[in-house]
Amino acid sequence: MDIEIIEMAERKMKFLLRNSSPAMANALRRTLLSDLPKMAIHKVEFHLGPLTDDTGKEYESATPLFDEIIAHRLGMVPVPTDRDLFVPQDECVCGGEGCPNCTIEYFLNKSGPCTVYSGDLLPMTDPSHREAFKVKDEFIPIVELVNGQGINVIATAVMGTAKKHVKWQVCNGVGYKYLPRIAIDPKAASRDDVLECKDLCPRKVFDIEGGRLVVVDEHECSLCRTCVEHLRDGKGISVEGDDTCFLFKFETDGSYTAKEALDEAVRILRDEANEFVDQIENIGPESDLLPPEPEPEPPEEPEYQSEY
Ligand SMILES: [Zn+2]
């Protein structure tokens, strides 16, 4: 399996998966969607009662939304994830209690009138990591406060995967198609019904050059075969999907860059494949897999036959 990058931005990528199979393409899609570990806010502690801000102004710890709605909104905020710095809580040396290796704590303290945004979450970490741990989208509205209202919370992010909850989902819009292969018969390229395909094609794959139909953007083809159905006898243009080559695209929520997400997905797939091979090799000879042979039943005692 080979990967050829076609477009790469910080949060989205388009690439070709060559020399592969539909099963492998689907495995990569599922890994990108649900197996990448990322940090997300999992616990939110609300301060209750009156609060005082830096100027001495008093306000009430109250918002127009229920606490659980605010906690849910905070959970969906993309938290940057560095796989070299963090481990899942259940694999951590702290035994799951929470420590700087498996959690990031954020402090949020605002008083109205204002709109509280995701960017108001301040990482409670040493100054060297503060910028790196700031949430990626700073303008996600969390709640609107009026005069006299305030919010004061400590939110804790831990690592998880989208198998458990969508807040741990890194990639979205993950999709692929068989790479389109379009061939125009040179003898038919100037035929009227073939030329009409330029305007018929909904994805604008064709153009006309020198009175002949040519393919200008093969990757755009959705394999709808509108052109082939329009042709006389269905001949002149052939459109096929290549089931060994796949055109992939996906986006990330910002917790990983697109490149990091693809690297991590390939690493996870490779580790799982190696583990599977190890397990197969450790099974032992085929005879171990068969159920034990039943003990032969003892021969029946011959019935006593009288000699008389
Ligand atoms: Zn820990």
Side-chain angles (χ1 to χ4, degrees), residues 225-243:
R225 302 174 66 82
T226 305
C227 51
V228 176
E229 282 162 19
H230 174 68
L231 296 171
R232 243 186 288 148
D233 308 328
K235 287 184 181 139
I237 301 176
S238 74
V239 177
E240 302 293 338
D242 184 344
D243 66 357

Side-chain angles (χ1 to χ4, degrees), residues 92 94 98-99 101-102:
C92 186
C94 71
C99 71
N101 292 327
C102 61

Side-chain angles (χ1 to χ4, degrees), residues 87-103:
V87 291
Q89 236 178 347
D90 54 356
E91 294 172 19
C92 186
V93 287
C94 71
E97 279 184 23
C99 71
N101 292 327
C102 61
T103 58

